[in-house]
Amino acid sequence: MDRIKTDILVSGGGVAGLTAAAAFGSAGFSVICTDPDAPVTDRDATGADHRSTAFLHPSIPVLQAAGLWERLTPHAAPLQIMRIVDAGGPVAEPRIVKDFDAAEISDQPFGWNLPNWLLRREMVARLRELPNVTFLPGTATARVMTREAEALATLSDGQRIAARLVVAADGRNSTVRQEVGIDVTTTGYGQKALAFAVAHAIPHNNISTEIHRSGGPFTLVPLPDRNGGPASSVVWMETGPEVARLAALPVAEFEAAINERSCGVLGALRLDSARTVWPIITQAAERMVATRVALIAEAAHVMPPIGAQGLNMSLADLSALLDLAMANPASLGSAEMLATFERKRHLEVKARLAGVDLLNRTSMLGEPFLRDLRAGALNALYSLGPVRKTLMKAGLGVR
């Protein structure tokens, strides 16, 4: 079988991989994007991803360059305030509430939130508009062999691809990463996350609320109104056995549990989607490049879902790679280009992983004395205006 030549092979059709395919395709490169599973693009279909993604505003330029942002804007809920609630006292109720308002540092919201199933729908539609992009749902990248001139990939259907650059966006168990021999370091927490959507009585007013008690945060992230009423996506992090118990509860009992854990901050919550369970780990690749290969997103780094860092770090990877490709298209996939990408991203990634790891460990505290220390630290940091603004800028990834 003859090899199909392309500028870029994007392995992985998650949010990061689809964005990469759209961005490079919009920039004029020929792109093939593989995905072992067909994206689920219907909210109520089996397998729909009921997590949501908050695009922080530094990520918007790459979405604009990909021709995606105009598609996504009508469906996005702005995130104007990040609210931290400490409910670590003897009773599950707010004892400290602190608001981090984007207006202190910018005339823009912190970001915009969209459900993941909808992101896939709009991104797949964008790929159909690009004649230089071939999307292959249901087809995996099975083998990769690299050499100085090009990367050679074999797909699960037997097709053979010759690419100047392979972008590995194929997740935490990345086949491409394994094929090119890049090791990872993985940290487990004994945690899992429940992801689901809720309808609620009180409007969210574009406030993302992170409630800390023990086991991990319970985070309510604004969604656009649904069926005429307020809606939010929820990520509830807890120990693995507790998540298994919660996931198996009948709906009425589960709703009682989420109403207790939410401390009533948005009034009565009603489950409005399926419940999905996700493992919580931190994982870092020992390097982000190999010959003719760049790792981005969860192929390179995985972290707990705290502070909307994961996907926005993935888009920062993509933005750096896209800038280098467009600055010198002739050097696409070269050793010099990939070495520059490694220098730009790897240290930043490691530093941010360490920060999120610390935040997650703090959120898991169960001992009352340690919870009190956490509450005191939140109070102290918030009370210092310059420190508060620095923390907000650091969360956005800006200086």
Side-chain angles (χ1 to χ4, degrees), residues 146-349:
T146 62
R147 55 192 187 189
E148 190 173 330
E150 60 187 358
L152 304 175
T154 303
L155 307 187
S156 57
D157 63 0
Q159 292 187 77
R160 301 169 68 198
I161 310 295
R164 297 166 63 198
L165 173 66
V166 175
V167 177
D170 49 349
R172 60 188 65 187
N173 298 315
S174 169
T175 297
V176 173
R177 186 188 66 225
Q178 295 175 45
E179 284 287 297
V180 297
I182 298 177
D183 291 331
V184 295
T185 301
T186 304
T187 301
Y189 301 96
Q191 285 175 302
K192 291 188 177 180
L194 270 168
F196 51 95
V198 294
H200 43 86
I202 299 173
H204 51 59
N205 294 323
N206 300 327
I207 299 170
S208 178
T209 304
E210 195 171 277
I211 304 167
H212 294 262
R213 184 161 173 79
S214 64
F218 182 101
T219 306
L220 292 142
V221 189
L223 291 172
D225 285 0
R226 174 171 156 78
N227 297 327
S232 294
S233 65
V234 178
V235 176
W236 185 0
M237 292 165 59
E238 258 294 354
T239 62
E242 178 64 3
V243 165
R245 184 188 74 82
L246 291 165
L249 287 177
V251 170
E253 293 180 37
F254 183 72
E255 288 181 338
I258 62 178
N259 277 291
E260 179 183 9
R261 185 62 177 81
S262 71
C263 301
V265 296
L266 292 178
L269 304 181
R270 178 176 58 81
L271 182 65
D272 194 33
S273 76
R275 289 166 270 181
T276 54
V277 175
W278 303 87
I280 301 299
I281 61 171
T282 292
Q283 182 169 282
E286 66 176 13
R287 64 186 190 278
M288 293 178 65
V289 301
T291 302
R292 294 284 165 183
V293 173
L295 309 187
I296 69 168
E298 289 200 342
H301 44 75
V302 183
M303 68 188 69
I306 293 176
Q309 294 300 301
L311 198 278
N312 289 279
M313 281 181 58
S314 303
L315 294 189
D317 300 338
L318 172 57
S319 181
L321 200 61
L322 183 64
D323 286 348
L324 291 168
M326 293 179 67
N328 188 357
S331 73
L332 181 70
S334 68
E336 294 78 11
M337 174 190 166
L338 293 173
T340 303
F341 174 69
E342 175 80 5
R343 288 194 302 271
K344 284 179 173 289
R345 292 300 301 147
H346 203 190
L347 286 177
E348 162 70 15
V349 163

Side-chain angles (χ1 to χ4, degrees), residues 47-65:
D49 186 349
H50 291 288
R51 295 174 297 174
S52 65
T53 293
F55 292 107
L56 302 180
H57 71 73
S59 295
I60 302 308
V62 73
L63 295 173
Q64 292 171 328

